[in-house]
């Protein structure tokens, strides 16, 4: 089931990325490669993900800090109707935060 969901998101992101580029002139390969790279700042990546997936009320992004002295940043990104929130908290957030 998990691979189906991740496969869906991968195809959706690829489709949305291509549709954003197709509205203007054909982008150069170099520009396309630069757009697909993960940025250094977490917020830049979250903003790009919001743009790619559209303005959806079901898309949830929960930034958090973890590690020694909260030295690392992370974000939990999920579709609200596809996950069980208590399971998400117990299986993912608590282990990462402790």
């Amino acid at each position: 089931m998990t691979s189906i969901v991740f496969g869906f998101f991968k195809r959706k992101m690829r489709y949305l990325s291509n549709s954003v580029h197709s509205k203007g002139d054909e982008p150069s390969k170099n520009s396309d490669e630069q757009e697909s790279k993960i940025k250094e700042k977490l917020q830049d990546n979250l903003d790009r993900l919001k743009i790619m997936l559209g303005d959806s009320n079901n898309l949830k992004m929960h930034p958090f800090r973890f590690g020694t002295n909260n030295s690392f940043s992370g974000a939990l990104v999920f579709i609200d109707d596809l996950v069980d929130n208590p399971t998400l908290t117990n299986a993912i957030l608590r282990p990462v935060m402790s």
Side-chain angles (χ1 to χ4, degrees), residues 36-77:
S36 67
K37 288 185 180 178
I38 295 175
K39 308 295 185 213
E40 243 182 86
K41 294 183 181 178
L42 177 63
Q43 191 59 49
D44 292 344
N45 294 312
L46 294 176
D47 291 341
R48 184 163 182 263
L49 190 59
K50 282 181 194 176
I51 291 168
M52 290 175 71
L53 295 177
D55 188 25
S56 171
N57 292 333
N58 295 343
L59 180 65
K60 303 297 178 188
M61 296 184 176
H62 293 286
F64 59 91
R65 304 207 42 94
F66 63 100
T68 308
N69 297 323
N70 289 325
S71 56
F72 297 102
S73 298
L76 185 60
V77 179

